[in-house]
Amino acid sequence: MKYETLYDDTPIPVLGLGTWRMGGGMEADRSQDEKYTRAIRAAIEMGYTHIDTAEMYGGGHTEEVIGRVIKDIDREQLFITTKVWSSNLRYRSVLKAMESSLRHLGTDYVDLYLIHWPNPSIPLEDTFKALNELVASGKTRRVGVSHFDLKDLQRAQSLSATPIATNQVRYSLLSREPARNGVLKYCQDNNIILTAYSPLKEGVLSIRKLKELAQKYKASPAQIALSWLLSKPKVISIPMSTNIDHLKSNLDAVELELSADDIETLNRLI
Ligand SMILES: NC(=O)c1ccc[n+]([C@@H]2O[C@H](COP(=O)([O-])OP(=O)(O)OC[C@H]3O[C@@H](n4cnc5c(N)ncnc54)[C@H](OP(=O)(O)O)[C@@H]3O)[C@@H](O)[C@H]2O)c1
């Protein structure tokens, strides 16, 4: 595994495990719990330590599935990120949401707690009053945001008692918005990790150039797509997979180093 460094010098794995849809969409679906439990356990056994989830995933059930797997694992070996949903951003709702996430996960703290989406109808001051308390009480070690544009990110920084650890945004070969709207550069310049979600979706894997490079590096298109993302300073990614071979191959992508020329070719691709 390779690591990026958080503002407090804690290492964070450059590749984490996404869990969206493991245990349902926005509501719980318990019918495939065994499959998801197996995938999460296998991921941890092969070396994943960062798990990304959210209270909204499976209506809380995804956190429960993760909780079942991690109960036998030394908590300090894991880095758990969860998120508070956008309708729960009032002071009391944030505190309540955290209690429910901790109960579902079966842990007494998370490593990183994110605002899942901004909600303009709830004052951000209210949300950060709660988030600052949660950091002070140790229920989360750090806070961060997701889907924040530059202006909202700077406001979050001004309201947070501790530095914003990450902004989690869609970023992939086919979704370059963070590179265009200044968010990527701002994160890199201000020691904020950019967590790239959905790194393999939207047809990324069918890009022809990826297939060519995959042959050249004796790798898979997914590995090239991940390696391109991870070549960027301050960028980490959290692909989701329930397939053991994919989990392993995504993890191995961390060791793949593309040449500067090939990175530049991919930069210019779209
Ligand atoms: N902050 C937010 O609002 C937000 C939004 C979306 C996602 N996220 C987070 O980011 C995570 C990742 O995003 P995502 O789940 O949307 O998309 P993703 O990780 O880009 O794509 C997941 C899909 O890719 C397939 N896949 C994974 N590895 C593969 C490989 N090596 N080769 C071929 N196919 C592969 C998976 O199928 P198999 O299971 O068959 O491998 C799955 O269908 C989520 O799970 C979630 O934790 C956050």
Side-chain angles (χ1 to χ4, degrees):
M1 181 55 75
K2 289 181 185 158
Y3 298 84
E4 264 297 345
T5 310
L6 286 157
Y7 67 83
D8 54 6
D9 289 338
T10 309
I12 181 168
V14 294
L15 198 93
L17 177 68
T19 62
W20 167 231
R21 295 202 172 280
M22 293 196 191
M26 289 185 77
E27 283 173 18
D29 173 358
R30 295 178 167 77
S31 64
Q32 297 188 75
D33 278 9
E34 212 175 299
K35 170 177 160 186
Y36 300 132
T37 309
R38 204 179 317 122
I40 297 166
R41 183 166 292 124
I44 294 173
E45 280 169 7
M46 66 179 75
Y48 286 80
T49 53
H50 178 192
I51 302 175
D52 177 85
T53 190
E55 65 160 337
M56 181 271 269
Y57 296 176
H61 184 55
T62 304
E63 290 178 330
E64 285 175 341
V65 173
I66 295 166
R68 273 179 218 161
V69 177
I70 66 171
K71 71 177 181 338
D72 303 322
I73 296 168
D74 176 8
R75 177 67 185 85
E76 285 293 319
Q77 300 304 313
L78 298 171
F79 189 103
I80 309 232
T81 299
T82 194
K83 317 182 191 84
V84 53
W85 187 234
S86 54
S87 56
N88 285 340
L89 297 181
R90 292 195 189 281
Y91 174 75
R92 282 194 190 289
S93 308
V94 176
L95 299 182
K96 220 169 120 200
M98 174 57 106
E99 287 312 315
S100 138
S101 284
L102 292 179
R103 194 173 58 252
H104 290 151
L105 288 162
T107 181
D108 50 13
Y109 73 93
V110 293
D111 297 274
L112 186 48
Y113 199 42
L114 309 185
I115 299 176
H116 204 144
W117 286 89
N119 180 345
S121 61
I122 299 178
L124 205 53
E125 286 79 358
D126 217 33
T127 311
F128 270 97
K129 183 169 181 268
L131 291 178
N132 290 338
E133 280 183 26
L134 290 172
V135 175
S137 65
K139 291 192 173 168
T140 183
R141 294 204 166 155
R142 300 162 197 89
V143 292
V145 295
S146 178
H147 303 109
F148 272 41
D149 64 16
L150 205 46
K151 202 166 116 268
D152 286 341
L153 178 56
Q154 287 167 337
R155 263 205 80 226
Q157 284 181 297
S158 73
L159 295 169
S160 183
T162 48
I164 298 296
T166 193
N167 188 12
Q168 184 173 128
V169 291
R170 183 185 288 256
Y171 183 37
S172 72
L173 277 164
L174 289 180
S175 291
R176 305 286 187 95
E177 192 58 17
R180 279 195 296 267
N181 65 13
V183 165
L184 173 62
K185 173 92 173 58
Y186 186 81
C187 288
Q188 290 171 329
D189 290 347
N190 289 276
N191 205 11
I192 298 171
I193 299 291
L194 185 140
T195 306
Y197 79 69
S198 301
L200 305 174
K201 272 193 173 163
E202 301 174 296
V204 166
L205 298 182
S206 55
I207 298 172
R208 195 180 314 140
K209 189 72 198 170
L210 276 192
K211 294 182 184 163
E212 267 175 56
L213 288 174
Q215 283 193 341
K216 173 175 167 184
Y217 285 91
K218 297 191 176 34
S220 69
Q223 289 180 317
I224 305 290
L226 291 171
S227 181
W228 172 79
L229 272 174
L230 301 183
S231 71
K232 317 263 169 229
K234 289 286 155 197
V235 173
I236 69 168
S237 192
I238 46 170
M240 188 287 289
S241 179
T242 56
N243 173 309
I244 311 283
D245 292 338
H246 290 168
L247 285 167
K248 177 79 176 78
S249 125
N250 294 347
L251 194 62
D252 289 346
V254 169
E255 304 306 327
L256 180 64
E257 302 239 356
L258 303 177
S259 72
D261 282 354
D262 289 331
I263 291 172
E264 195 43 39
T265 303
L266 291 172
N267 285 345
R268 284 201 305 264
L269 198 60
I270 310 298

